[in-house]
Short mmCIF file of all heavy atoms in Angstrom, two decimals:
data_model
loop_
_atom_site.label_atom_id
_atom_site.label_comp_id
_atom_site.label_asym_id
_atom_site.label_seq_id
_atom_site.Cartn_x
_atom_site.Cartn_y
_atom_site.Cartn_z
N THR A 3 0.81 -1.19 -0.02
CA THR A 3 -0.02 0.02 0.00
C THR A 3 0.88 1.23 0.00
O THR A 3 1.80 1.37 0.81
CB THR A 3 -0.94 0.02 1.20
OG1 THR A 3 -1.76 -1.15 1.22
CG2 THR A 3 -1.80 1.27 1.20
N ARG A 4 0.52 2.19 -0.85
CA ARG A 4 1.29 3.46 -0.94
C ARG A 4 0.53 4.55 -0.15
O ARG A 4 -0.69 4.67 -0.26
CB ARG A 4 1.45 3.85 -2.42
CG ARG A 4 2.34 2.89 -3.16
CD ARG A 4 2.60 3.33 -4.60
NE ARG A 4 1.41 3.16 -5.43
CZ ARG A 4 1.38 3.31 -6.74
NH1 ARG A 4 2.53 3.69 -7.36
NH2 ARG A 4 0.28 3.14 -7.42
N ASN A 5 1.29 5.31 0.60
CA ASN A 5 0.74 6.36 1.44
C ASN A 5 1.52 7.66 1.25
O ASN A 5 2.71 7.64 0.99
CB ASN A 5 0.74 5.95 2.89
CG ASN A 5 -0.02 4.67 3.15
OD1 ASN A 5 0.55 3.55 3.06
ND2 ASN A 5 -1.27 4.79 3.51
N TYR A 6 0.80 8.77 1.43
CA TYR A 6 1.40 10.07 1.21
C TYR A 6 1.01 11.04 2.27
O TYR A 6 -0.10 10.99 2.85
CB TYR A 6 0.94 10.65 -0.16
CG TYR A 6 1.28 9.72 -1.33
CD1 TYR A 6 0.33 8.79 -1.74
CD2 TYR A 6 2.50 9.80 -1.96
CE1 TYR A 6 0.63 7.93 -2.81
CE2 TYR A 6 2.80 8.99 -3.02
CZ TYR A 6 1.87 8.04 -3.45
OH TYR A 6 2.17 7.23 -4.47
N ALA A 7 1.89 11.97 2.57
CA ALA A 7 1.55 13.09 3.41
C ALA A 7 0.49 13.95 2.73
O ALA A 7 0.44 14.03 1.52
CB ALA A 7 2.78 13.94 3.74
N ASP A 8 -0.37 14.57 3.54
CA ASP A 8 -1.43 15.38 2.97
C ASP A 8 -0.90 16.46 2.05
O ASP A 8 -1.55 16.82 1.10
CB ASP A 8 -2.28 15.99 4.09
CG ASP A 8 -3.15 14.96 4.79
OD1 ASP A 8 -3.37 13.89 4.22
OD2 ASP A 8 -3.59 15.25 5.93
N SER A 9 0.26 17.02 2.36
CA SER A 9 0.79 18.12 1.64
C SER A 9 1.22 17.75 0.20
O SER A 9 1.36 18.63 -0.62
CB SER A 9 1.99 18.72 2.35
OG SER A 9 3.02 17.77 2.55
N VAL A 10 1.42 16.47 -0.06
CA VAL A 10 1.89 16.03 -1.35
C VAL A 10 0.91 15.10 -2.06
O VAL A 10 1.12 14.74 -3.22
CB VAL A 10 3.25 15.34 -1.28
CG1 VAL A 10 4.27 16.23 -0.59
CG2 VAL A 10 3.18 13.98 -0.61
N LYS A 11 -0.16 14.73 -1.39
CA LYS A 11 -1.16 13.81 -1.96
C LYS A 11 -1.72 14.37 -3.29
O LYS A 11 -2.08 15.54 -3.36
CB LYS A 11 -2.24 13.55 -0.96
CG LYS A 11 -3.18 12.40 -1.27
CD LYS A 11 -4.17 12.13 -0.11
CE LYS A 11 -3.43 11.72 1.13
NZ LYS A 11 -4.35 11.43 2.24
N GLY A 12 -1.74 13.50 -4.27
CA GLY A 12 -2.22 13.92 -5.55
C GLY A 12 -1.17 14.50 -6.45
O GLY A 12 -1.39 14.67 -7.69
N ARG A 13 0.02 14.79 -5.91
CA ARG A 13 1.09 15.40 -6.69
C ARG A 13 2.33 14.50 -6.79
O ARG A 13 3.03 14.49 -7.80
CB ARG A 13 1.52 16.75 -6.12
CG ARG A 13 0.42 17.79 -6.05
CD ARG A 13 0.94 19.16 -5.60
NE ARG A 13 1.44 19.10 -4.22
CZ ARG A 13 2.72 19.38 -3.92
NH1 ARG A 13 3.65 19.65 -4.88
NH2 ARG A 13 3.13 19.30 -2.68
N PHE A 14 2.53 13.67 -5.75
CA PHE A 14 3.72 12.79 -5.70
C PHE A 14 3.26 11.37 -5.89
O PHE A 14 2.17 10.95 -5.43
CB PHE A 14 4.43 12.95 -4.37
CG PHE A 14 5.20 14.23 -4.18
CD1 PHE A 14 5.01 15.30 -4.98
CD2 PHE A 14 6.13 14.34 -3.14
CE1 PHE A 14 5.67 16.52 -4.80
CE2 PHE A 14 6.80 15.52 -2.96
CZ PHE A 14 6.59 16.60 -3.75
N THR A 15 4.17 10.53 -6.46
CA THR A 15 3.91 9.14 -6.58
C THR A 15 5.16 8.38 -6.26
O THR A 15 6.27 8.63 -6.74
CB THR A 15 3.51 8.75 -8.04
OG1 THR A 15 2.32 9.49 -8.40
CG2 THR A 15 3.17 7.27 -8.13
N ILE A 16 5.06 7.42 -5.33
CA ILE A 16 6.18 6.54 -4.95
C ILE A 16 6.02 5.19 -5.61
O ILE A 16 4.93 4.66 -5.71
CB ILE A 16 6.31 6.43 -3.40
CG1 ILE A 16 7.54 5.66 -3.04
CG2 ILE A 16 5.06 5.79 -2.81
CD1 ILE A 16 7.83 5.67 -1.54
N ALA A 17 7.14 4.67 -6.10
CA ALA A 17 7.13 3.36 -6.74
C ALA A 17 8.43 2.63 -6.35
O ALA A 17 9.44 3.24 -6.20
CB ALA A 17 7.00 3.49 -8.27
N ARG A 18 8.32 1.32 -6.29
CA ARG A 18 9.50 0.54 -5.94
C ARG A 18 9.53 -0.78 -6.65
O ARG A 18 8.49 -1.33 -7.12
CB ARG A 18 9.53 0.31 -4.40
CG ARG A 18 8.51 -0.74 -3.93
CD ARG A 18 8.61 -0.97 -2.47
NE ARG A 18 7.71 -2.04 -1.98
CZ ARG A 18 7.51 -2.36 -0.71
NH1 ARG A 18 8.13 -1.66 0.23
NH2 ARG A 18 6.69 -3.34 -0.38
N ASP A 19 10.73 -1.31 -6.80
CA ASP A 19 10.95 -2.69 -7.18
C ASP A 19 12.05 -3.24 -6.28
O ASP A 19 12.30 -2.70 -5.23
CB ASP A 19 11.24 -2.82 -8.69
CG ASP A 19 12.46 -2.00 -9.12
OD1 ASP A 19 13.37 -1.77 -8.32
OD2 ASP A 19 12.44 -1.50 -10.30
N MET A 20 12.69 -4.33 -6.71
CA MET A 20 13.66 -4.99 -5.88
C MET A 20 14.93 -4.12 -5.65
O MET A 20 15.63 -4.32 -4.63
CB MET A 20 14.09 -6.31 -6.43
CG MET A 20 12.99 -7.38 -6.33
SD MET A 20 12.52 -7.72 -4.60
CE MET A 20 14.07 -8.35 -3.97
N ARG A 21 15.21 -3.19 -6.52
CA ARG A 21 16.47 -2.44 -6.44
C ARG A 21 16.28 -0.94 -6.52
O ARG A 21 17.27 -0.20 -6.37
CB ARG A 21 17.44 -2.89 -7.51
CG ARG A 21 18.04 -4.26 -7.25
CD ARG A 21 18.98 -4.19 -6.07
NE ARG A 21 19.42 -5.53 -5.65
CZ ARG A 21 20.31 -5.73 -4.67
NH1 ARG A 21 20.87 -4.73 -4.06
NH2 ARG A 21 20.61 -6.98 -4.34
N ASN A 22 15.09 -0.46 -6.71
CA ASN A 22 14.88 0.97 -6.87
C ASN A 22 13.65 1.46 -6.12
O ASN A 22 12.65 0.77 -6.03
CB ASN A 22 14.75 1.33 -8.32
CG ASN A 22 15.98 1.01 -9.14
OD1 ASN A 22 16.93 1.78 -9.14
ND2 ASN A 22 15.95 -0.16 -9.80
N VAL A 23 13.75 2.67 -5.60
CA VAL A 23 12.62 3.36 -5.01
C VAL A 23 12.59 4.76 -5.61
O VAL A 23 13.48 5.54 -5.38
CB VAL A 23 12.72 3.48 -3.50
CG1 VAL A 23 11.45 4.11 -2.91
CG2 VAL A 23 12.95 2.09 -2.85
N ASN A 24 11.60 5.03 -6.39
CA ASN A 24 11.50 6.31 -7.10
C ASN A 24 10.38 7.18 -6.55
O ASN A 24 9.36 6.70 -6.01
CB ASN A 24 11.23 6.11 -8.59
CG ASN A 24 12.36 5.37 -9.27
OD1 ASN A 24 13.52 5.46 -8.84
ND2 ASN A 24 12.09 4.70 -10.35
N LEU A 25 10.56 8.48 -6.64
CA LEU A 25 9.55 9.43 -6.21
C LEU A 25 9.33 10.39 -7.36
O LEU A 25 10.21 11.23 -7.69
CB LEU A 25 9.98 10.20 -4.97
CG LEU A 25 8.94 11.12 -4.38
CD1 LEU A 25 7.74 10.32 -3.79
CD2 LEU A 25 9.54 11.99 -3.28
N GLN A 26 8.18 10.32 -8.01
CA GLN A 26 7.78 11.25 -9.06
C GLN A 26 7.07 12.40 -8.43
O GLN A 26 6.07 12.21 -7.75
CB GLN A 26 6.92 10.52 -10.09
CG GLN A 26 6.35 11.46 -11.16
CD GLN A 26 7.44 11.98 -12.05
OE1 GLN A 26 8.31 11.28 -12.55
NE2 GLN A 26 7.42 13.31 -12.27
N MET A 27 7.57 13.59 -8.65
CA MET A 27 7.02 14.82 -8.06
C MET A 27 6.51 15.73 -9.17
O MET A 27 7.25 16.13 -10.06
CB MET A 27 8.08 15.54 -7.22
CG MET A 27 8.71 14.68 -6.13
SD MET A 27 9.89 15.56 -5.09
CE MET A 27 11.16 15.91 -6.30
N ASN A 28 5.23 16.02 -9.12
CA ASN A 28 4.58 16.92 -10.08
C ASN A 28 4.03 18.12 -9.39
O ASN A 28 3.81 18.14 -8.16
CB ASN A 28 3.49 16.17 -10.83
CG ASN A 28 3.99 14.99 -11.62
OD1 ASN A 28 5.03 15.04 -12.22
ND2 ASN A 28 3.22 13.90 -11.61
N SER A 29 3.73 19.15 -10.16
CA SER A 29 3.14 20.39 -9.66
C SER A 29 3.87 20.86 -8.41
O SER A 29 3.26 21.23 -7.39
CB SER A 29 1.64 20.17 -9.35
OG SER A 29 0.93 19.73 -10.47
N LEU A 30 5.17 20.96 -8.50
CA LEU A 30 6.00 21.31 -7.37
C LEU A 30 5.75 22.73 -6.87
O LEU A 30 5.51 23.65 -7.68
CB LEU A 30 7.46 21.11 -7.70
CG LEU A 30 7.93 19.64 -7.72
CD1 LEU A 30 9.22 19.51 -8.45
CD2 LEU A 30 8.03 19.14 -6.28
N LYS A 31 5.84 22.92 -5.57
CA LYS A 31 5.63 24.20 -4.92
C LYS A 31 6.89 24.59 -4.16
O LYS A 31 7.69 23.74 -3.82
CB LYS A 31 4.45 24.12 -3.93
CG LYS A 31 3.16 23.63 -4.54
CD LYS A 31 2.13 23.41 -3.45
CE LYS A 31 0.76 22.88 -4.01
NZ LYS A 31 -0.22 22.72 -2.93
N PRO A 32 7.09 25.88 -3.90
CA PRO A 32 8.26 26.30 -3.14
C PRO A 32 8.39 25.59 -1.78
O PRO A 32 9.51 25.32 -1.35
CB PRO A 32 8.04 27.79 -2.94
CG PRO A 32 7.24 28.19 -4.15
CD PRO A 32 6.31 27.02 -4.42
N GLU A 33 7.26 25.28 -1.15
CA GLU A 33 7.32 24.60 0.13
C GLU A 33 7.78 23.12 0.04
O GLU A 33 7.99 22.47 1.07
CB GLU A 33 5.97 24.66 0.87
CG GLU A 33 4.80 24.23 0.02
CD GLU A 33 4.06 25.41 -0.63
OE1 GLU A 33 4.77 26.33 -1.12
OE2 GLU A 33 2.83 25.39 -0.64
N ASP A 34 7.92 22.62 -1.15
CA ASP A 34 8.51 21.32 -1.38
C ASP A 34 10.00 21.30 -1.27
O ASP A 34 10.64 20.23 -1.30
CB ASP A 34 8.08 20.74 -2.72
CG ASP A 34 6.55 20.45 -2.80
OD1 ASP A 34 6.00 19.97 -1.82
OD2 ASP A 34 5.98 20.73 -3.87
N THR A 35 10.61 22.46 -1.20
CA THR A 35 12.07 22.60 -1.14
C THR A 35 12.60 21.91 0.14
O THR A 35 12.05 22.06 1.23
CB THR A 35 12.48 24.10 -1.14
OG1 THR A 35 12.10 24.67 -2.39
CG2 THR A 35 13.95 24.23 -0.93
N GLY A 36 13.69 21.20 -0.06
CA GLY A 36 14.34 20.53 1.05
C GLY A 36 15.27 19.44 0.60
O GLY A 36 15.42 19.21 -0.62
N VAL A 37 15.90 18.79 1.51
CA VAL A 37 16.73 17.63 1.24
C VAL A 37 15.86 16.39 1.35
O VAL A 37 15.23 16.15 2.41
CB VAL A 37 17.96 17.51 2.17
CG1 VAL A 37 18.80 16.31 1.84
CG2 VAL A 37 18.79 18.80 2.05
N TYR A 38 15.85 15.58 0.36
CA TYR A 38 15.02 14.38 0.29
C TYR A 38 15.89 13.15 0.58
O TYR A 38 16.95 12.99 -0.02
CB TYR A 38 14.33 14.26 -1.05
CG TYR A 38 13.17 15.18 -1.21
CD1 TYR A 38 13.34 16.53 -1.32
CD2 TYR A 38 11.88 14.68 -1.17
CE1 TYR A 38 12.28 17.40 -1.44
CE2 TYR A 38 10.76 15.55 -1.33
CZ TYR A 38 10.97 16.93 -1.44
OH TYR A 38 9.91 17.74 -1.60
N TYR A 39 15.40 12.30 1.49
CA TYR A 39 16.13 11.09 1.88
C TYR A 39 15.33 9.86 1.60
O TYR A 39 14.20 9.76 2.01
CB TYR A 39 16.46 11.15 3.37
CG TYR A 39 17.39 12.29 3.82
CD1 TYR A 39 16.87 13.51 4.19
CD2 TYR A 39 18.77 12.08 3.82
CE1 TYR A 39 17.73 14.54 4.58
CE2 TYR A 39 19.61 13.10 4.24
CZ TYR A 39 19.08 14.31 4.60
OH TYR A 39 19.94 15.33 4.99
N CYS A 40 15.94 8.92 1.00
CA CYS A 40 15.38 7.59 0.77
C CYS A 40 15.64 6.73 1.95
O CYS A 40 16.76 6.75 2.55
CB CYS A 40 15.94 6.99 -0.51
SG CYS A 40 15.35 5.30 -0.86
N ASN A 41 14.70 5.94 2.37
CA ASN A 41 14.86 4.99 3.47
C ASN A 41 14.26 3.69 3.13
O ASN A 41 13.20 3.56 2.56
CB ASN A 41 14.16 5.56 4.74
CG ASN A 41 14.04 4.52 5.86
OD1 ASN A 41 13.07 3.77 5.90
ND2 ASN A 41 14.99 4.48 6.75
N VAL A 42 14.98 2.57 3.47
CA VAL A 42 14.52 1.23 3.23
C VAL A 42 14.66 0.46 4.50
O VAL A 42 15.76 0.46 5.14
CB VAL A 42 15.31 0.59 2.13
CG1 VAL A 42 14.89 -0.88 1.96
CG2 VAL A 42 15.09 1.27 0.81
N ARG A 43 13.62 -0.24 4.90
CA ARG A 43 13.66 -1.09 6.09
C ARG A 43 13.73 -2.54 5.66
O ARG A 43 12.90 -3.07 4.92
CB ARG A 43 12.42 -0.86 6.96
CG ARG A 43 12.34 -1.73 8.21
CD ARG A 43 11.27 -1.22 9.15
NE ARG A 43 11.60 0.10 9.64
CZ ARG A 43 10.75 0.85 10.40
NH1 ARG A 43 9.57 0.37 10.69
NH2 ARG A 43 11.11 2.01 10.81
N SER A 44 14.74 -3.23 6.19
CA SER A 44 14.98 -4.66 5.84
C SER A 44 14.01 -5.53 6.62
O SER A 44 13.34 -5.12 7.57
CB SER A 44 16.40 -5.05 6.13
OG SER A 44 16.65 -5.08 7.49
N VAL A 45 13.98 -6.83 6.26
CA VAL A 45 13.09 -7.77 6.92
C VAL A 45 13.50 -7.98 8.37
O VAL A 45 12.66 -8.42 9.19
CB VAL A 45 13.06 -9.10 6.16
CG1 VAL A 45 12.43 -8.92 4.82
CG2 VAL A 45 14.45 -9.68 6.02
N ASP A 46 14.78 -7.68 8.73
CA ASP A 46 15.19 -7.80 10.13
C ASP A 46 15.16 -6.45 10.82
O ASP A 46 15.83 -6.21 11.83
CB ASP A 46 16.61 -8.39 10.21
CG ASP A 46 17.63 -7.70 9.37
OD1 ASP A 46 17.23 -6.91 8.47
OD2 ASP A 46 18.83 -7.93 9.61
N ASN A 47 14.38 -5.51 10.26
CA ASN A 47 14.10 -4.24 10.89
C ASN A 47 15.30 -3.31 11.03
O ASN A 47 15.41 -2.53 11.96
CB ASN A 47 13.41 -4.41 12.24
CG ASN A 47 12.04 -5.00 12.12
OD1 ASN A 47 11.27 -4.70 11.22
ND2 ASN A 47 11.70 -5.89 13.07
N VAL A 48 16.19 -3.37 10.05
CA VAL A 48 17.31 -2.44 10.01
C VAL A 48 16.99 -1.41 8.93
O VAL A 48 16.60 -1.71 7.82
CB VAL A 48 18.62 -3.17 9.64
CG1 VAL A 48 19.76 -2.14 9.45
CG2 VAL A 48 18.95 -4.17 10.71
#
């Protein structure tokens, strides 16, 4: 299941496969400015 913060809902799309996690960002606003970090949680919770 894909989930989004209210501030980006309808504008951002997250997608993943075994080796990639992508974030498609559309209709960008100045408040979207920032450093973006990817995070992956392993099956052993690391």
Side-chain angles (χ1 to χ4, degrees):
T3 302
R4 295 183 287 188
N5 302 88
Y6 303 91
D8 288 341
S9 61
V10 307
K11 192 173 299 181
R13 301 186 297 117
F14 288 14
T15 303
I16 185 171
R18 73 178 185 188
D19 57 31
M20 288 299 298
R21 287 290 171 178
N22 297 278
V23 185
N24 296 333
L25 185 68
Q26 175 66 49
M27 305 183 294
N28 299 320
S29 302
L30 284 163
K31 305 174 181 179
E33 51 263 43
D34 294 319
T35 295
V37 179
Y38 284 70
Y39 296 90
C40 176
N41 167 273
V42 175
R43 179 169 295 173
S44 68
V45 294
D46 54 344
N47 293 321
V48 175

